[in-house]
Amino acid sequence: MAERVYPADSPPESGQFSGNFSSGEFPRKPAPPPSTYVIQVPKDQIYRIPPPENAHRLQYLSRKKPNRSRCRCCICSFIALVFALIVLAGLSLAVLYLIYRPEAPKYYVEGFAVSGINLNSTSPISPRFNVTVRSRNGNGKIGVYYYGKGSSVDVYYKDVDLCNGVLPEFYQAEKNVTVVKLGLSGSKIQLTSGMRKEMRKEVSNKTLPFRLKIKAPVKIKVGSVKTWTMIVKVNCDLTVDKLTAPSRIVSRKCSHDFDLW
């Protein structure tokens, strides 16, 4: 209980103290001025009871801390859920891979006939190419759908696009070899005099290089399920002996790549 001290009737004058310094006694605290009060509060109440002006802040902080804790718990739960889904997806893909053992189809150029290129004239050329491509699907449980819409087939000499076309739409079943014949043509292609001279030299050596580029949207069929649309890209470097049909392929090398998204 607080102890109240009433004002003294006659406070001591300034500079006067009662007590004996020589005997080790310290002077008593001076009395407060008239009409003032001294309130003594126990030490434990000072730390336990906040001042009135800070009571609302204490109440606000007391309510805020649990909210922060709940937010942290929600974030941690969400991160744990995402991590668990990623792990499950990885395990599912691993199981599917072990079951189906997927492998990419292999592509091979069987025929490449060239016509319509006159190197003795400076007029624009209108080349024609008859290209035969063989696709082999070695998967035992996976089929491939090829879509003509969005596909492209181009033949290049150096960096010049000589002709273009599209793939037919077809389905390649499991353990299947499909042969696709393509008729490609270009119109009003202007070759430089230096390029014509170089091509004549390559024809005399029977080593005329071309590059075949194929881009095709595909969907993979696994059982009764189709995947999303992916893009297969095939690049073939070819060397033929002449620019008239029938031409013979001297060398060929094909590579392919898949864009999953």
PDB file of all heavy atoms in Angstrom, residues 49-82:
ATOM      1  N   ILE A  49       2.934  -2.814 -13.901  1.00  0.00           N
ATOM      2  CA  ILE A  49       1.809  -2.003 -14.349  1.00  0.00           C
ATOM      3  C   ILE A  49       2.334  -0.902 -15.246  1.00  0.00           C
ATOM      4  O   ILE A  49       3.108  -0.057 -14.808  1.00  0.00           O
ATOM      5  CB  ILE A  49       1.047  -1.395 -13.148  1.00  0.00           C
ATOM      6  CG1 ILE A  49       0.562  -2.526 -12.226  1.00  0.00           C
ATOM      7  CG2 ILE A  49      -0.119  -0.542 -13.635  1.00  0.00           C
ATOM      8  CD1 ILE A  49      -0.117  -2.035 -10.982  1.00  0.00           C
ATOM      9  N   PRO A  50       1.949  -0.866 -16.553  1.00  0.00           N
ATOM     10  CA  PRO A  50       2.438   0.181 -17.451  1.00  0.00           C
ATOM     11  C   PRO A  50       1.745   1.508 -17.168  1.00  0.00           C
ATOM     12  O   PRO A  50       0.639   1.542 -16.624  1.00  0.00           O
ATOM     13  CB  PRO A  50       2.060  -0.349 -18.833  1.00  0.00           C
ATOM     14  CG  PRO A  50       0.856  -1.182 -18.578  1.00  0.00           C
ATOM     15  CD  PRO A  50       1.056  -1.805 -17.235  1.00  0.00           C
ATOM     16  N   PRO A  51       2.397   2.586 -17.561  1.00  0.00           N
ATOM     17  CA  PRO A  51       1.747   3.894 -17.411  1.00  0.00           C
ATOM     18  C   PRO A  51       0.470   3.944 -18.240  1.00  0.00           C
ATOM     19  O   PRO A  51       0.350   3.261 -19.249  1.00  0.00           O
ATOM     20  CB  PRO A  51       2.802   4.873 -17.949  1.00  0.00           C
ATOM     21  CG  PRO A  51       4.078   4.129 -17.903  1.00  0.00           C
ATOM     22  CD  PRO A  51       3.749   2.693 -18.079  1.00  0.00           C
ATOM     23  N   PRO A  52      -0.491   4.763 -17.835  1.00  0.00           N
ATOM     24  CA  PRO A  52      -1.767   4.823 -18.578  1.00  0.00           C
ATOM     25  C   PRO A  52      -1.585   5.191 -20.042  1.00  0.00           C
ATOM     26  O   PRO A  52      -2.283   4.677 -20.904  1.00  0.00           O
ATOM     27  CB  PRO A  52      -2.562   5.891 -17.815  1.00  0.00           C
ATOM     28  CG  PRO A  52      -1.955   5.921 -16.456  1.00  0.00           C
ATOM     29  CD  PRO A  52      -0.509   5.602 -16.626  1.00  0.00           C
ATOM     30  N   GLU A  53      -0.626   6.090 -20.355  1.00  0.00           N
ATOM     31  CA  GLU A  53      -0.468   6.507 -21.747  1.00  0.00           C
ATOM     32  C   GLU A  53       0.086   5.398 -22.631  1.00  0.00           C
ATOM     33  O   GLU A  53       0.008   5.464 -23.858  1.00  0.00           O
ATOM     34  CB  GLU A  53       0.455   7.735 -21.833  1.00  0.00           C
ATOM     35  CG  GLU A  53       1.862   7.488 -21.305  1.00  0.00           C
ATOM     36  CD  GLU A  53       1.977   7.767 -19.814  1.00  0.00           C
ATOM     37  OE1 GLU A  53       0.900   7.890 -19.171  1.00  0.00           O
ATOM     38  OE2 GLU A  53       3.095   7.879 -19.311  1.00  0.00           O
ATOM     39  N   ASN A  54       0.709   4.350 -22.043  1.00  0.00           N
ATOM     40  CA  ASN A  54       1.248   3.238 -22.822  1.00  0.00           C
ATOM     41  C   ASN A  54       0.372   1.984 -22.780  1.00  0.00           C
ATOM     42  O   ASN A  54       0.720   0.962 -23.351  1.00  0.00           O
ATOM     43  CB  ASN A  54       2.646   2.871 -22.339  1.00  0.00           C
ATOM     44  CG  ASN A  54       3.651   3.968 -22.651  1.00  0.00           C
ATOM     45  OD1 ASN A  54       3.426   4.774 -23.546  1.00  0.00           O
ATOM     46  ND2 ASN A  54       4.748   4.004 -21.909  1.00  0.00           N
ATOM     47  N   ALA A  55      -0.747   2.083 -22.080  1.00  0.00           N
ATOM     48  CA  ALA A  55      -1.602   0.897 -21.943  1.00  0.00           C
ATOM     49  C   ALA A  55      -2.174   0.469 -23.279  1.00  0.00           C
ATOM     50  O   ALA A  55      -2.252  -0.714 -23.603  1.00  0.00           O
ATOM     51  CB  ALA A  55      -2.726   1.183 -20.942  1.00  0.00           C
ATOM     52  N   HIS A  56      -2.602   1.457 -24.116  1.00  0.00           N
ATOM     53  CA  HIS A  56      -3.190   1.104 -25.405  1.00  0.00           C
ATOM     54  C   HIS A  56      -2.151   0.478 -26.329  1.00  0.00           C
ATOM     55  O   HIS A  56      -2.461  -0.405 -27.128  1.00  0.00           O
ATOM     56  CB  HIS A  56      -3.800   2.346 -26.057  1.00  0.00           C
ATOM     57  CG  HIS A  56      -2.785   3.341 -26.505  1.00  0.00           C
ATOM     58  ND1 HIS A  56      -2.140   4.186 -25.623  1.00  0.00           N
ATOM     59  CD2 HIS A  56      -2.288   3.620 -27.748  1.00  0.00           C
ATOM     60  CE1 HIS A  56      -1.290   4.949 -26.291  1.00  0.00           C
ATOM     61  NE2 HIS A  56      -1.352   4.625 -27.581  1.00  0.00           N
ATOM     62  N   ARG A  57      -0.894   0.920 -26.244  1.00  0.00           N
ATOM     63  CA  ARG A  57       0.168   0.337 -27.079  1.00  0.00           C
ATOM     64  C   ARG A  57       0.450  -1.109 -26.668  1.00  0.00           C
ATOM     65  O   ARG A  57       0.649  -1.981 -27.513  1.00  0.00           O
ATOM     66  CB  ARG A  57       1.437   1.174 -26.976  1.00  0.00           C
ATOM     67  CG  ARG A  57       2.575   0.633 -27.816  1.00  0.00           C
ATOM     68  CD  ARG A  57       3.719   1.608 -27.837  1.00  0.00           C
ATOM     69  NE  ARG A  57       4.844   1.059 -28.584  1.00  0.00           N
ATOM     70  CZ  ARG A  57       4.936   1.057 -29.899  1.00  0.00           C
ATOM     71  NH1 ARG A  57       3.956   1.574 -30.626  1.00  0.00           N
ATOM     72  NH2 ARG A  57       5.986   0.538 -30.511  1.00  0.00           N
ATOM     73  N   LEU A  58       0.457  -1.357 -25.361  1.00  0.00           N
ATOM     74  CA  LEU A  58       0.656  -2.725 -24.870  1.00  0.00           C
ATOM     75  C   LEU A  58      -0.458  -3.637 -25.351  1.00  0.00           C
ATOM     76  O   LEU A  58      -0.224  -4.773 -25.776  1.00  0.00           O
ATOM     77  CB  LEU A  58       0.733  -2.722 -23.343  1.00  0.00           C
ATOM     78  CG  LEU A  58       0.848  -4.089 -22.671  1.00  0.00           C
ATOM     79  CD1 LEU A  58       2.150  -4.765 -23.074  1.00  0.00           C
ATOM     80  CD2 LEU A  58       0.761  -3.959 -21.163  1.00  0.00           C
ATOM     81  N   GLN A  59      -1.698  -3.114 -25.310  1.00  0.00           N
ATOM     82  CA  GLN A  59      -2.821  -3.918 -25.771  1.00  0.00           C
ATOM     83  C   GLN A  59      -2.712  -4.216 -27.263  1.00  0.00           C
ATOM     84  O   GLN A  59      -3.000  -5.329 -27.723  1.00  0.00           O
ATOM     85  CB  GLN A  59      -4.115  -3.179 -25.469  1.00  0.00           C
ATOM     86  CG  GLN A  59      -5.375  -4.006 -25.758  1.00  0.00           C
ATOM     87  CD  GLN A  59      -6.634  -3.246 -25.374  1.00  0.00           C
ATOM     88  OE1 GLN A  59      -6.554  -2.078 -25.007  1.00  0.00           O
ATOM     89  NE2 GLN A  59      -7.775  -3.900 -25.448  1.00  0.00           N
ATOM     90  N   TYR A  60      -2.264  -3.210 -28.058  1.00  0.00           N
ATOM     91  CA  TYR A  60      -2.113  -3.402 -29.507  1.00  0.00           C
ATOM     92  C   TYR A  60      -1.047  -4.440 -29.822  1.00  0.00           C
ATOM     93  O   TYR A  60      -1.240  -5.332 -30.649  1.00  0.00           O
ATOM     94  CB  TYR A  60      -1.750  -2.059 -30.144  1.00  0.00           C
ATOM     95  CG  TYR A  60      -1.361  -2.168 -31.596  1.00  0.00           C
ATOM     96  CD1 TYR A  60      -2.314  -2.371 -32.591  1.00  0.00           C
ATOM     97  CD2 TYR A  60      -0.018  -2.068 -31.968  1.00  0.00           C
ATOM     98  CE1 TYR A  60      -1.945  -2.471 -33.924  1.00  0.00           C
ATOM     99  CE2 TYR A  60       0.358  -2.167 -33.301  1.00  0.00           C
ATOM    100  CZ  TYR A  60      -0.611  -2.368 -34.266  1.00  0.00           C
ATOM    101  OH  TYR A  60      -0.245  -2.475 -35.575  1.00  0.00           O
ATOM    102  N   LEU A  61       0.091  -4.356 -29.130  1.00  0.00           N
ATOM    103  CA  LEU A  61       1.164  -5.325 -29.376  1.00  0.00           C
ATOM    104  C   LEU A  61       0.760  -6.718 -28.938  1.00  0.00           C
ATOM    105  O   LEU A  61       1.159  -7.706 -29.543  1.00  0.00           O
ATOM    106  CB  LEU A  61       2.436  -4.886 -28.647  1.00  0.00           C
ATOM    107  CG  LEU A  61       3.076  -3.587 -29.159  1.00  0.00           C
ATOM    108  CD1 LEU A  61       4.257  -3.189 -28.285  1.00  0.00           C
ATOM    109  CD2 LEU A  61       3.515  -3.743 -30.605  1.00  0.00           C
ATOM    110  N   SER A  62      -0.051  -6.798 -27.878  1.00  0.00           N
ATOM    111  CA  SER A  62      -0.498  -8.110 -27.409  1.00  0.00           C
ATOM    112  C   SER A  62      -1.398  -8.778 -28.442  1.00  0.00           C
ATOM    113  O   SER A  62      -1.368  -9.989 -28.619  1.00  0.00           O
ATOM    114  CB  SER A  62      -1.245  -7.972 -26.083  1.00  0.00           C
ATOM    115  OG  SER A  62      -0.396  -7.403 -25.099  1.00  0.00           O
ATOM    116  N   ARG A  63      -2.204  -7.965 -29.151  1.00  0.00           N
ATOM    117  CA  ARG A  63      -3.055  -8.535 -30.194  1.00  0.00           C
ATOM    118  C   ARG A  63      -2.273  -8.839 -31.456  1.00  0.00           C
ATOM    119  O   ARG A  63      -2.595  -9.745 -32.204  1.00  0.00           O
ATOM    120  CB  ARG A  63      -4.200  -7.566 -30.530  1.00  0.00           C
ATOM    121  CG  ARG A  63      -5.212  -7.396 -29.435  1.00  0.00           C
ATOM    122  CD  ARG A  63      -6.475  -6.764 -30.004  1.00  0.00           C
ATOM    123  NE  ARG A  63      -6.177  -5.527 -30.714  1.00  0.00           N
ATOM    124  CZ  ARG A  63      -6.219  -4.313 -30.160  1.00  0.00           C
ATOM    125  NH1 ARG A  63      -6.543  -4.189 -28.879  1.00  0.00           N
ATOM    126  NH2 ARG A  63      -5.934  -3.234 -30.884  1.00  0.00           N
ATOM    127  N   LYS A  64      -1.208  -8.097 -31.760  1.00  0.00           N
ATOM    128  CA  LYS A  64      -0.481  -8.208 -33.030  1.00  0.00           C
ATOM    129  C   LYS A  64       0.402  -9.437 -33.104  1.00  0.00           C
ATOM    130  O   LYS A  64       0.552 -10.065 -34.137  1.00  0.00           O
ATOM    131  CB  LYS A  64       0.356  -6.950 -33.239  1.00  0.00           C
ATOM    132  CG  LYS A  64       0.904  -6.807 -34.648  1.00  0.00           C
ATOM    133  CD  LYS A  64       1.569  -5.472 -34.775  1.00  0.00           C
ATOM    134  CE  LYS A  64       2.095  -5.301 -36.208  1.00  0.00           C
ATOM    135  NZ  LYS A  64       2.762  -4.001 -36.380  1.00  0.00           N
ATOM    136  N   LYS A  65       1.016  -9.815 -32.021  1.00  0.00           N
ATOM    137  CA  LYS A  65       1.956 -10.933 -32.038  1.00  0.00           C
ATOM    138  C   LYS A  65       1.316 -12.239 -32.463  1.00  0.00           C
ATOM    139  O   LYS A  65       1.873 -12.956 -33.293  1.00  0.00           O
ATOM    140  CB  LYS A  65       2.633 -11.069 -30.676  1.00  0.00           C
ATOM    141  CG  LYS A  65       3.622  -9.953 -30.406  1.00  0.00           C
ATOM    142  CD  LYS A  65       4.288 -10.129 -29.071  1.00  0.00           C
ATOM    143  CE  LYS A  65       5.301  -8.998 -28.807  1.00  0.00           C
ATOM    144  NZ  LYS A  65       5.950  -9.151 -27.497  1.00  0.00           N
ATOM    145  N   PRO A  66       0.147 -12.607 -31.954  1.00  0.00           N
ATOM    146  CA  PRO A  66      -0.462 -13.858 -32.427  1.00  0.00           C
ATOM    147  C   PRO A  66      -0.756 -13.837 -33.918  1.00  0.00           C
ATOM    148  O   PRO A  66      -0.645 -14.844 -34.594  1.00  0.00           O
ATOM    149  CB  PRO A  66      -1.748 -13.946 -31.589  1.00  0.00           C
ATOM    150  CG  PRO A  66      -1.467 -13.139 -30.371  1.00  0.00           C
ATOM    151  CD  PRO A  66      -0.595 -12.018 -30.834  1.00  0.00           C
ATOM    152  N   ASN A  67      -1.155 -12.654 -34.471  1.00  0.00           N
ATOM    153  CA  ASN A  67      -1.422 -12.579 -35.906  1.00  0.00           C
ATOM    154  C   ASN A  67      -0.170 -12.881 -36.707  1.00  0.00           C
ATOM    155  O   ASN A  67      -0.206 -13.567 -37.715  1.00  0.00           O
ATOM    156  CB  ASN A  67      -1.962 -11.194 -36.256  1.00  0.00           C
ATOM    157  CG  ASN A  67      -3.349 -10.966 -35.667  1.00  0.00           C
ATOM    158  OD1 ASN A  67      -4.072 -11.920 -35.410  1.00  0.00           O
ATOM    159  ND2 ASN A  67      -3.708  -9.709 -35.450  1.00  0.00           N
ATOM    160  N   ARG A  68       0.962 -12.306 -36.275  1.00  0.00           N
ATOM    161  CA  ARG A  68       2.214 -12.590 -36.959  1.00  0.00           C
ATOM    162  C   ARG A  68       2.559 -14.067 -36.900  1.00  0.00           C
ATOM    163  O   ARG A  68       3.018 -14.660 -37.872  1.00  0.00           O
ATOM    164  CB  ARG A  68       3.349 -11.765 -36.349  1.00  0.00           C
ATOM    165  CG  ARG A  68       3.276 -10.279 -36.677  1.00  0.00           C
ATOM    166  CD  ARG A  68       4.451  -9.562 -36.069  1.00  0.00           C
ATOM    167  NE  ARG A  68       4.454  -8.146 -36.416  1.00  0.00           N
ATOM    168  CZ  ARG A  68       5.357  -7.280 -35.985  1.00  0.00           C
ATOM    169  NH1 ARG A  68       6.332  -7.699 -35.178  1.00  0.00           N
ATOM    170  NH2 ARG A  68       5.298  -6.018 -36.337  1.00  0.00           N
ATOM    171  N   SER A  69       2.316 -14.662 -35.756  1.00  0.00           N
ATOM    172  CA  SER A  69       2.618 -16.090 -35.614  1.00  0.00           C
ATOM    173  C   SER A  69       1.746 -16.920 -36.555  1.00  0.00           C
ATOM    174  O   SER A  69       2.221 -17.867 -37.180  1.00  0.00           O
ATOM    175  CB  SER A  69       2.403 -16.529 -34.162  1.00  0.00           C
ATOM    176  OG  SER A  69       3.253 -15.803 -33.306  1.00  0.00           O
ATOM    177  N   ARG A  70       0.464 -16.522 -36.672  1.00  0.00           N
ATOM    178  CA  ARG A  70      -0.418 -17.262 -37.575  1.00  0.00           C
ATOM    179  C   ARG A  70       0.030 -17.110 -39.025  1.00  0.00           C
ATOM    180  O   ARG A  70      -0.027 -18.060 -39.809  1.00  0.00           O
ATOM    181  CB  ARG A  70      -1.863 -16.788 -37.388  1.00  0.00           C
ATOM    182  CG  ARG A  70      -2.530 -17.313 -36.127  1.00  0.00           C
ATOM    183  CD  ARG A  70      -4.027 -17.108 -36.188  1.00  0.00           C
ATOM    184  NE  ARG A  70      -4.382 -15.702 -36.184  1.00  0.00           N
ATOM    185  CZ  ARG A  70      -4.618 -14.998 -35.088  1.00  0.00           C
ATOM    186  NH1 ARG A  70      -4.521 -15.587 -33.896  1.00  0.00           N
ATOM    187  NH2 ARG A  70      -4.946 -13.728 -35.158  1.00  0.00           N
ATOM    188  N   CYS A  71       0.465 -15.881 -39.403  1.00  0.00           N
ATOM    189  CA  CYS A  71       0.942 -15.678 -40.762  1.00  0.00           C
ATOM    190  C   CYS A  71       2.168 -16.537 -41.054  1.00  0.00           C
ATOM    191  O   CYS A  71       2.283 -17.134 -42.128  1.00  0.00           O
ATOM    192  CB  CYS A  71       1.276 -14.201 -40.981  1.00  0.00           C
ATOM    193  SG  CYS A  71      -0.182 -13.137 -41.042  1.00  0.00           S
ATOM    194  N   ARG A  72       3.080 -16.581 -40.103  1.00  0.00           N
ATOM    195  CA  ARG A  72       4.275 -17.408 -40.299  1.00  0.00           C
ATOM    196  C   ARG A  72       3.893 -18.877 -40.455  1.00  0.00           C
ATOM    197  O   ARG A  72       4.456 -19.591 -41.288  1.00  0.00           O
ATOM    198  CB  ARG A  72       5.236 -17.228 -39.123  1.00  0.00           C
ATOM    199  CG  ARG A  72       5.877 -15.845 -39.056  1.00  0.00           C
ATOM    200  CD  ARG A  72       7.041 -15.841 -38.104  1.00  0.00           C
ATOM    201  NE  ARG A  72       7.553 -14.494 -37.877  1.00  0.00           N
ATOM    202  CZ  ARG A  72       7.268 -13.741 -36.838  1.00  0.00           C
ATOM    203  NH1 ARG A  72       6.446 -14.214 -35.897  1.00  0.00           N
ATOM    204  NH2 ARG A  72       7.759 -12.524 -36.707  1.00  0.00           N
ATOM    205  N   CYS A  73       2.939 -19.319 -39.662  1.00  0.00           N
ATOM    206  CA  CYS A  73       2.512 -20.721 -39.760  1.00  0.00           C
ATOM    207  C   CYS A  73       1.890 -21.013 -41.129  1.00  0.00           C
ATOM    208  O   CYS A  73       2.137 -22.060 -41.724  1.00  0.00           O
ATOM    209  CB  CYS A  73       1.515 -21.037 -38.651  1.00  0.00           C
ATOM    210  SG  CYS A  73       2.250 -21.071 -36.998  1.00  0.00           S
ATOM    211  N   CYS A  74       1.082 -20.049 -41.639  1.00  0.00           N
ATOM    212  CA  CYS A  74       0.464 -20.243 -42.953  1.00  0.00           C
ATOM    213  C   CYS A  74       1.510 -20.310 -44.055  1.00  0.00           C
ATOM    214  O   CYS A  74       1.429 -21.153 -44.952  1.00  0.00           O
ATOM    215  CB  CYS A  74      -0.523 -19.105 -43.232  1.00  0.00           C
ATOM    216  SG  CYS A  74      -1.987 -19.133 -42.184  1.00  0.00           S
ATOM    217  N   ILE A  75       2.503 -19.415 -43.995  1.00  0.00           N
ATOM    218  CA  ILE A  75       3.558 -19.406 -45.016  1.00  0.00           C
ATOM    219  C   ILE A  75       4.351 -20.703 -44.975  1.00  0.00           C
ATOM    220  O   ILE A  75       4.650 -21.304 -46.012  1.00  0.00           O
ATOM    221  CB  ILE A  75       4.472 -18.184 -44.820  1.00  0.00           C
ATOM    222  CG1 ILE A  75       3.690 -16.893 -45.115  1.00  0.00           C
ATOM    223  CG2 ILE A  75       5.696 -18.271 -45.727  1.00  0.00           C
ATOM    224  CD1 ILE A  75       4.464 -15.642 -44.788  1.00  0.00           C
ATOM    225  N   CYS A  76       4.692 -21.137 -43.784  1.00  0.00           N
ATOM    226  CA  CYS A  76       5.455 -22.387 -43.649  1.00  0.00           C
ATOM    227  C   CYS A  76       4.649 -23.575 -44.164  1.00  0.00           C
ATOM    228  O   CYS A  76       5.189 -24.461 -44.840  1.00  0.00           O
ATOM    229  CB  CYS A  76       5.854 -22.608 -42.196  1.00  0.00           C
ATOM    230  SG  CYS A  76       7.072 -21.414 -41.577  1.00  0.00           S
ATOM    231  N   SER A  77       3.345 -23.581 -43.883  1.00  0.00           N
ATOM    232  CA  SER A  77       2.504 -24.686 -44.364  1.00  0.00           C
ATOM    233  C   SER A  77       2.415 -24.683 -45.883  1.00  0.00           C
ATOM    234  O   SER A  77       2.465 -25.740 -46.518  1.00  0.00           O
ATOM    235  CB  SER A  77       1.105 -24.571 -43.754  1.00  0.00           C
ATOM    236  OG  SER A  77       1.161 -24.642 -42.344  1.00  0.00           O
ATOM    237  N   PHE A  78       2.305 -23.481 -46.468  1.00  0.00           N
ATOM    238  CA  PHE A  78       2.231 -23.385 -47.926  1.00  0.00           C
ATOM    239  C   PHE A  78       3.526 -23.871 -48.572  1.00  0.00           C
ATOM    240  O   PHE A  78       3.505 -24.616 -49.557  1.00  0.00           O
ATOM    241  CB  PHE A  78       1.946 -21.936 -48.332  1.00  0.00           C
ATOM    242  CG  PHE A  78       1.909 -21.715 -49.806  1.00  0.00           C
ATOM    243  CD1 PHE A  78       0.827 -22.139 -50.561  1.00  0.00           C
ATOM    244  CD2 PHE A  78       2.979 -21.108 -50.452  1.00  0.00           C
ATOM    245  CE1 PHE A  78       0.795 -21.933 -51.933  1.00  0.00           C
ATOM    246  CE2 PHE A  78       2.957 -20.908 -51.823  1.00  0.00           C
ATOM    247  CZ  PHE A  78       1.864 -21.333 -52.561  1.00  0.00           C
ATOM    248  N   ILE A  79       4.666 -23.456 -48.030  1.00  0.00           N
ATOM    249  CA  ILE A  79       5.950 -23.892 -48.579  1.00  0.00           C
ATOM    250  C   ILE A  79       6.097 -25.408 -48.464  1.00  0.00           C
ATOM    251  O   ILE A  79       6.564 -26.082 -49.387  1.00  0.00           O
ATOM    252  CB  ILE A  79       7.108 -23.170 -47.857  1.00  0.00           C
ATOM    253  CG1 ILE A  79       7.070 -21.669 -48.189  1.00  0.00           C
ATOM    254  CG2 ILE A  79       8.455 -23.754 -48.254  1.00  0.00           C
ATOM    255  CD1 ILE A  79       8.081 -20.854 -47.419  1.00  0.00           C
ATOM    256  N   ALA A  80       5.688 -25.952 -47.333  1.00  0.00           N
ATOM    257  CA  ALA A  80       5.771 -27.402 -47.159  1.00  0.00           C
ATOM    258  C   ALA A  80       4.873 -28.137 -48.152  1.00  0.00           C
ATOM    259  O   ALA A  80       5.250 -29.181 -48.698  1.00  0.00           O
ATOM    260  CB  ALA A  80       5.381 -27.769 -45.724  1.00  0.00           C
ATOM    261  N   LEU A  81       3.667 -27.572 -48.424  1.00  0.00           N
ATOM    262  CA  LEU A  81       2.761 -28.196 -49.391  1.00  0.00           C
ATOM    263  C   LEU A  81       3.352 -28.178 -50.796  1.00  0.00           C
ATOM    264  O   LEU A  81       3.302 -29.187 -51.516  1.00  0.00           O
ATOM    265  CB  LEU A  81       1.418 -27.468 -49.366  1.00  0.00           C
ATOM    266  CG  LEU A  81       0.357 -27.960 -50.368  1.00  0.00           C
ATOM    267  CD1 LEU A  81       0.008 -29.416 -50.094  1.00  0.00           C
ATOM    268  CD2 LEU A  81      -0.886 -27.093 -50.306  1.00  0.00           C
ATOM    269  N   VAL A  82       3.916 -27.020 -51.197  1.00  0.00           N
ATOM    270  CA  VAL A  82       4.526 -26.925 -52.525  1.00  0.00           C
ATOM    271  C   VAL A  82       5.687 -27.910 -52.655  1.00  0.00           C
ATOM    272  O   VAL A  82       5.835 -28.591 -53.678  1.00  0.00           O
ATOM    273  CB  VAL A  82       5.000 -25.481 -52.792  1.00  0.00           C
ATOM    274  CG1 VAL A  82       5.824 -25.407 -54.072  1.00  0.00           C
ATOM    275  CG2 VAL A  82       3.807 -24.547 -52.899  1.00  0.00           C
TER     276      VAL A  82
END
